[in-house]
Amino acid sequence: MQSDFATAVQTRIGPAQRKELENKCHNRLNWSDGGHWIGTGRKPNCFMKDEITNTQSHTYLFETDSAATNWNLEHEKAIRYAGHLATAGLTVAATLLTSGMAAIAIGTIVAITKDEVQASIEYPRMARGWSFEMIFEHSFKWSPHPWGQKGLTQKITLISRDFEGHVVRKSSASRKYQLSELPDGLARAIASAPSQKTTSNYV
């Protein structure tokens, strides 16, 4: 089979068609040593690709001293008891599909920042008038070609701002998931969710 992806095109097809394409493109009995199609039926387009991206952003606003205090106390409690959760970002992304960013438990937010806390980097303490923004960027790639890119890349950016809107703390981390690591269809569903930017008052 050829490996020139310069001719790849973006194509959206259904689950059954994707599975059929993968079976045909991955079966070596369908291809000659020279890369020519010798299988039954029409030669499949193994060089197509499907790419989907989106961005989900949510900002928590702290309009009162009590809201900031509640946030700080909840973080301190969660840090003591929450273990590292490698899939915390995916948990958030999956929740977005049904409940929205505001429904994310603070323990999950702590799990995302846990490594930094353990590295003696102060967790995002809040004060009245401050804000905390979480940005989730997703890039999904799929191709039926055996050597094609398949996976979901998630970039998480956390931004703390003071009452004047100045950035106090900003951190970013990316992780790539192979499709075989995730439940069938989850990566595509996460990346296919509409991009949105929302805010809510923390209480």
Side-chain angles (χ1 to χ4, degrees):
M1 297 170 61
Q2 300 176 21
S3 59
D4 181 11
F5 277 82
T7 58
V9 294
Q10 181 174 343
T11 306
R12 303 296 291 274
I13 59 176
Q17 291 173 296
R18 287 196 298 269
K19 193 64 177 177
E20 181 182 1
L21 265 176
E22 287 183 344
N23 290 338
K24 288 183 176 180
C25 296
H26 285 242
N27 189 343
R28 295 182 60 87
L29 298 177
N30 288 333
W31 305 90
S32 70
D33 291 340
H36 299 290
W37 174 252
I38 56 174
T40 57
R42 294 181 57 186
K43 176 184 176 181
N45 179 6
C46 297
F47 298 106
M48 69 168 54
K49 65 179 180 180
D50 199 356
E51 296 185 5
I52 311 171
T53 60
N54 72 1
T55 301
Q56 305 279 346
S57 168
H58 187 77
T59 301
Y60 291 100
L61 305 176
F62 300 86
E63 296 188 342
T64 64
D65 289 327
S66 62
T69 298
N70 290 340
W71 168 277
N72 294 334
L73 291 176
E74 285 297 314
H75 266 74
E76 290 174 358
K77 181 172 66 176
I79 284 170
R80 287 197 299 270
Y81 298 109
H84 173 66
L85 182 60
T87 59
L90 284 183
T91 301
V92 171
T95 303
L96 291 176
L97 298 177
T98 55
S99 305
M101 184 74 78
I104 303 303
I106 199 167
T108 307
I109 299 173
V110 168
I112 293 174
T113 60
K114 182 78 170 181
D115 285 346
E116 297 183 65
V117 172
Q118 290 175 335
S120 299
I121 300 175
E122 185 179 10
Y123 72 89
R125 294 182 64 88
M126 292 291 110
R128 179 163 56 90
W130 285 34
S131 66
F132 179 69
E133 182 178 12
M134 305 176 68
I135 305 170
F136 294 81
E137 299 172 74
H138 300 107
S139 175
F140 172 85
K141 293 184 178 181
W142 173 86
S143 171
H145 196 286
W147 303 333
Q149 296 186 55
K150 301 180 184 68
L152 175 73
T153 299
Q154 182 183 64
K155 179 181 179 181
I156 302 176
T157 301
L158 308 176
I159 305 174
S160 301
R161 294 182 174 90
D162 64 17
F163 63 93
E164 293 183 333
H166 298 149
V167 175
V168 176
R169 180 175 180 271
K170 180 177 180 180
S171 61
S172 294
S174 294
R175 179 174 176 184
K176 183 172 182 178
Y177 299 87
Q178 300 299 324
L179 298 187
S180 57
E181 296 180 68
L182 307 175
D184 188 38
L186 177 61
R188 184 181 295 273
I190 287 174
S192 297
S195 294
Q196 62 179 342
K197 186 170 185 177
T198 57
T199 62
S200 67
N201 293 326
Y202 195 85
V203 294

